[in-house]
Amino acid sequence: MTVSDAARFIKAVKTKTAAAGEKKTRVREDGTMSAINAAHKVLTEEQRAMTVKEIYETAVEKGYCRLAGATPMLTIYGIIST
């Protein structure tokens, strides 16, 4: 899966977090954030079409998130497809 329209995804995340009354980027004590916030931050910074693998690798490389599951890219795919 490729997020071809980063702006649309970013707008959807802003709408969802605003409706929930949450901060846009909620950072945990260890400096990481949720998968959706990490994907949002990566796409905001990159401003280009990216595959789920690219989003995941960039988020981990920059230390935005640490997904411990067996299939972390499917976690990112799941939140994007929602």
Side-chain angles (χ1 to χ4, degrees):
M1 173 181 197
T2 301
V3 177
S4 58
D5 189 355
R8 181 171 161 225
F9 177 73
I10 291 165
K11 181 179 176 184
V13 170
K14 284 182 183 177
T15 303
K16 180 182 175 188
T17 55
E22 300 175 18
K23 293 180 182 175
K24 184 171 61 173
T25 52
R26 200 172 184 176
V27 180
R28 298 181 187 123
E29 289 180 14
D30 65 357
T32 62
M33 56 188 82
S34 67
I36 193 165
N37 285 331
H40 175 267
K41 188 164 184 161
V42 167
L43 289 167
T44 301
E45 291 174 352
E46 296 292 323
Q47 292 292 312
R48 63 181 177 92
M50 298 178 77
T51 64
V52 171
K53 183 177 180 181
E54 289 175 314
I55 294 169
Y56 167 72
E57 289 173 349
T58 303
V60 170
E61 180 183 298
K62 293 185 176 190
Y64 297 154
C65 69
R66 278 185 265 131
L67 300 174
T71 56
M73 284 181 274
L74 289 179
T75 300
I76 301 235
Y77 173 82
I79 58 136
I80 290 172
S81 65
T82 302

